[in-house]
Amino acid sequence: MSITAWLAIAVFVVAYVLIATEKVHRVAAALGGAVLMLLIGATDAEHAFFSTDAGVDWNVIFLLLGMMLIVAVLRRTGVFEFVAIWAAKRAGGRPYRLMVILVLVTAVASAFLDNVTTVLLVAPVTFLVCDRLAVPVAPFLIAEALASNIGGTSTLVGDPPNIIIGSRAGLSYNDFLVHLAPIVALLLVAFIVLCRWLFRDAFRYDPQRAASVLALRERDAIRDVRLLVVSLVVLALVTAAFVLHTVLHLEPSVVAVVGGLALLAASRVDADEVARDVEWPTLVFFAGLFVMVGALVNTGVVDRVAQAASDAVEGRLLTASMVLLWGSAALSAIVDNIPYVATMSPVVAELVRADYGGQDPQVLWWSLALGADLGGNATAIGASANVVILGMAERAGRPISFWQFTKYGLVVTVITVALCVPYLWLRYFAFA
């Protein structure tokens, strides 16, 4: 590798350490790393801002921005308080039951929307209901981020890496449902059981708090009925467009921005107030992270790692499948899984074309999807939903540290990825 490539690795490692140790604010570390990548020549303006493979993923940025606008308007209707009271009452004020409800809602919604959109909608409810029941909000937010990545794995639109895989491999919405939904359902059950142990210290039941919540009427929380109706109509149209985006030939980012701006115009809410509710630091952090990872792509670092893996397993389908699964999980924990999959998918396309003695090499795409999507749970910056949750928590004055998230995420990742091993072996090798 070139000197520039080694310098890019050094910059990335230093920035990652600063983010992980929180010695420097994560936005400053990401932006500082991005600037250094430009200065050392690991990337340039053309690649950083206009390359689809080695620069800022504007689809992700504008998807986030559009949904943040919708959430900012929705917040003014009282609908989040409504849902918070409803969820707390269905759970009988019991924290673990509440977590199960929120996890299931998040996972199922992530399959039909996408995981970033889902956490943007569910997190405000979580803050309110946890305050009502006097329980710590961080475990619930972490559980929702993890659930969103698990649930989003099951469909084409549920997790951004799946969209990339579907496009490269020519896989349909139904292909993802048939091949990944069964294992995701099993993983979700395992995760709910795991939550009971992982977050056991958060399940403090307060009978008085629970009684006060049970006495509330959900209907009283709605502050603006007209705005609620308009917001729900726009949200329904945006959701339908997400599901049908391949038919409509519209990127989810375009759908989100158009929906956000249309709702802002129809709501008659002050635009300056809504703009103040947008998570601008989170968007800037993503931009910096994309530039840093793009520099590793641009200098050939990621391609070198991916190619070494493909050379090591050539001709051995089961070995290739397992290496892809665990390797993708490990790498997606370090870099965001979107640029990782964008880089790895051409390598997998080459592997799929190899001869495996009559065995179906399509399993390699499912190994990549499971590894990348579930591996994103391992660290606080492994997946877009994780970063969004941390940004919202910080804005609400309830910051979640890198290691607070990662100590739970690593456990969940190892267990869920390990459960995928027998699934892949049984379905695509033993009984193929």
Side-chain angles (χ1 to χ4, degrees):
M1 287 193 296
S2 66
I3 295 175
T4 304
W6 285 110
L7 287 173
I9 293 171
V11 170
F12 183 83
V13 169
V14 170
Y16 195 92
V17 169
L18 290 175
I19 292 168
T21 58
E22 299 180 322
K23 296 292 184 185
V24 177
H25 193 281
R26 61 194 178 92
V27 175
L31 281 182
V35 169
L36 286 175
M37 291 295 194
L38 288 163
L39 291 177
I40 65 173
T43 189
D44 54 29
E46 184 68 28
H47 284 94
F49 302 122
F50 303 107
S51 171
T52 55
D53 298 323
V56 177
D57 191 328
W58 295 110
N59 282 318
V60 173
I61 299 294
F62 281 100
L63 171 64
L64 285 170
L65 176 60
M67 293 312 300
M68 285 175 180
L69 290 173
I70 292 173
V71 169
V73 175
L74 266 173
R75 186 177 289 123
R76 287 159 172 78
T77 67
V79 69
F80 294 130
E81 291 90 333
F82 178 96
V83 176
I85 295 168
W86 175 88
K89 291 175 78 169
R90 295 292 81 74
R94 302 269 177 186
Y96 177 63
R97 291 181 192 171
L98 174 65
M99 181 175 282
V100 171
I101 290 173
L102 292 174
V103 161
L104 287 173
V105 168
T106 302
V108 173
S110 293
F112 296 100
L113 299 172
D114 66 87
N115 49 14
V116 171
T117 300
T118 302
V119 297
L120 281 168
L121 294 171
V122 176
V125 174
T126 308
F127 287 114
L128 293 165
V129 73
C130 287
D131 286 344
R132 293 277 190 181
L133 295 175
V135 293
V137 72
F140 289 81
L141 292 174
I142 293 170
E144 288 161 10
L146 300 176
S148 74
N149 292 321
I150 294 171
T153 303
S154 62
T155 66
L156 174 67
V157 298
D159 211 354
N162 290 5
I163 298 173
I164 299 170
I165 291 170
S167 174
R168 171 69 69 164
L171 299 168
S172 69
Y173 192 94
N174 289 337
D175 289 330
F176 277 85
L177 270 181
V178 169
H179 290 272
L180 297 185
I183 182 60
V184 167
L186 293 173
L187 295 179
L188 191 56
V189 172
F191 177 62
I192 288 171
V193 173
L194 200 55
C195 284
R196 187 72 171 128
W197 169 68
L198 282 176
F199 304 112
R200 58 192 179 278
D201 294 337
F203 304 136
R204 297 191 304 268
Y205 177 63
D206 185 331
Q208 290 184 324
R209 285 274 189 168
S212 67
V213 170
L214 293 174
L216 294 171
R217 294 195 335 158
E218 297 95 316
R219 181 67 182 79
D220 295 338
I222 301 299
R223 297 189 293 270
D224 190 328
V225 175
R226 177 200 164 273
L227 184 57
L228 176 60
V229 171
V230 172
S231 299
L232 291 180
V233 168
V234 171
L235 183 60
L237 291 173
V238 167
T239 303
F242 279 159
V243 175
L244 299 172
H245 79 96
T246 52
V247 177
L248 299 173
H249 303 293
L250 288 174
E251 289 293 333
S253 55
V254 175
V255 172
V257 169
V258 170
L261 293 176
L263 178 56
L264 182 60
S267 67
R268 300 199 290 265
V269 175
D270 184 80
D272 288 338
E273 289 183 14
V274 173
R276 281 194 290 270
D277 285 343
V278 171
E279 305 281 339
W280 297 110
T282 299
L283 299 179
V284 173
F285 175 74
F286 266 119
L289 194 62
F290 279 132
V291 172
M292 284 200 299
V293 174
L296 296 182
V297 173
N298 193 44
T299 54
V301 174
V302 176
D303 188 54
R304 178 70 70 90
V305 173
Q307 196 59 52
S310 69
D311 291 342
V313 300
E314 189 173 359
R316 299 187 298 276
L317 188 59
L318 179 58
T319 303
S321 177
M322 294 301 112
V323 168
L324 258 180
L325 177 68
W326 287 101
S328 297
L331 288 171
S332 292
I334 300 170
V335 300
D336 188 275
N337 54 14
I338 296 172
Y340 167 73
V341 168
T343 304
M344 194 65 190
S345 54
V347 179
V348 176
E350 288 297 320
L351 287 174
V352 167
R353 283 193 280 270
D355 181 19
Y356 296 101
Q359 292 178 300
D360 186 3
Q362 287 293 98
V363 63
L364 298 178
W365 290 116
W366 308 128
S367 297
L368 176 63
L370 288 168
D373 293 347
L374 299 175
N377 272 336
T379 67
I381 64 170
S384 303
N386 308 357
V387 177
V388 171
I389 281 287
L390 261 63
M392 296 181 78
E394 183 178 31
R395 188 181 183 90
R398 327 278 182 85
I400 298 171
S401 72
F402 180 93
W403 290 111
Q404 185 181 3
F405 185 102
T406 303
K407 71 179 180 181
Y408 297 114
L410 277 173
V411 174
V412 172
T413 296
V414 170
I415 291 173
T416 53
V417 174
L419 288 172
C420 291
V421 173
Y423 173 78
L424 290 172
W425 178 73
L426 287 169
R427 179 160 183 177
Y428 300 102
F429 296 95
F431 299 110

